[in-house]
Amino acid sequence: FLHSEGAFNIARPYLEELSSDLQRSVSMGVLDGTEVLVIFRKEHTRFYPFAVYVGSRIPAYCTTMGKVLLAAQPREQLKDLLSRTNLFKVTPKTKTNKNEIIKDLKATRERGYGIADQEFSLDLYSFGVPLLNHEGQVVASVSISLNVQDRENKKVADHALEKLLRTGRVISQGLGYKGSYPIIPQSS
């Protein structure tokens, strides 16, 4: 996916539009080992105590993009990835217990999208959705960052999630995916 300029070119205008439309930071990433490699970022508000930009590597286990990408991994590969991951508390709300993380990833897979509630930044509530290719494989993930206060405003959170899901579906269709959405199939 990273080498496919076509896929990135399909996604970019939709991600730019989503970020501008909602005035929120939007990112796209791929799984690289135990981390997410950020391959697109349009920032509106900085939530992190550090800059996240294209080329940044962020932990997979406590970010929405990472949760979506991990949820798509085959069980054995997921166990291996988690055993190699340095699970540390980025914030007091970060889950570091492997069983809790696996339970969260199962919920992510069942729901079809990821949620991170102050796990990567105390100011941040975010959603992440999968991008699927023509074979129905999760090839990347897209996230939208909301202020933690937006979590309490159901109208704002629901609207952002709805727009993100619509964007993920359209990009996935552009990548040749024809099935139902959102869905996170577990690779075999």
Side-chain angles (χ1 to χ4, degrees):
F1 182 80
L2 201 50
H3 304 292
S4 170
E5 246 179 71
F8 180 76
N9 290 340
I10 288 167
R12 184 181 193 113
Y14 293 106
L15 301 178
E16 298 263 1
E17 183 184 326
L18 178 66
S19 179
S20 296
D21 185 27
L22 295 177
Q23 295 295 297
R24 297 290 190 272
S25 299
V26 171
S27 303
M28 181 166 88
V30 294
L31 195 60
D32 188 17
T34 62
E35 298 173 311
V36 175
L37 173 63
V38 178
I39 61 172
F40 172 88
R41 177 133 176 100
K42 184 167 178 193
E43 190 167 75
H44 270 276
T45 307
R46 183 168 293 170
F47 291 105
Y48 314 119
F50 47 86
V52 173
Y53 48 87
V54 170
S56 290
R57 293 175 183 285
I58 58 176
Y61 68 97
C62 62
T63 59
T64 53
M65 286 188 295
K67 288 180 185 192
V68 167
L69 296 165
L70 289 174
Q73 299 305 305
R75 275 185 191 79
E76 289 309 308
Q77 198 170 335
L78 176 59
K79 284 181 186 169
D80 177 57
L81 284 169
L82 289 177
S83 72
R84 292 186 290 124
T85 301
N86 174 16
L87 300 172
F88 63 96
K89 286 214 173 271
V90 180
T91 76
K93 300 219 177 211
T94 306
K95 293 175 185 76
T96 56
N97 174 296
K98 281 185 192 157
N99 290 334
E100 279 184 36
I101 292 169
I102 288 170
K103 188 176 168 187
D104 187 21
L105 294 176
K106 184 175 186 276
T108 298
R109 193 168 35 257
E110 288 170 357
R111 179 183 328 109
Y113 61 90
I115 299 172
D117 187 359
Q118 299 180 288
E119 294 169 62
F120 191 54
S121 165
L122 287 174
D123 298 326
L124 181 64
Y125 181 71
S126 62
F127 296 115
V129 297
L131 297 183
L132 297 112
N133 67 9
H134 64 286
E135 295 172 354
Q137 299 163 320
V138 176
V139 293
S141 179
V142 173
S143 71
I144 189 160
S145 304
L146 306 178
N147 300 312
V148 76
Q149 296 88 337
D150 290 337
R151 176 187 57 199
E152 309 308 322
N153 186 339
K154 195 160 168 35
K155 200 171 175 182
V156 170
D158 287 352
H159 181 65
L161 177 58
E162 183 185 311
K163 288 270 201 182
L164 178 63
L165 288 168
R166 190 176 310 140
T167 300
R169 180 184 306 113
V170 168
I171 295 169
S172 294
Q173 288 169 342
L175 297 174
Y177 177 69
K178 305 248 188 285
S180 63
Y181 191 92
I183 186 170
I184 303 174
Q186 198 168 18
S187 306
S188 45

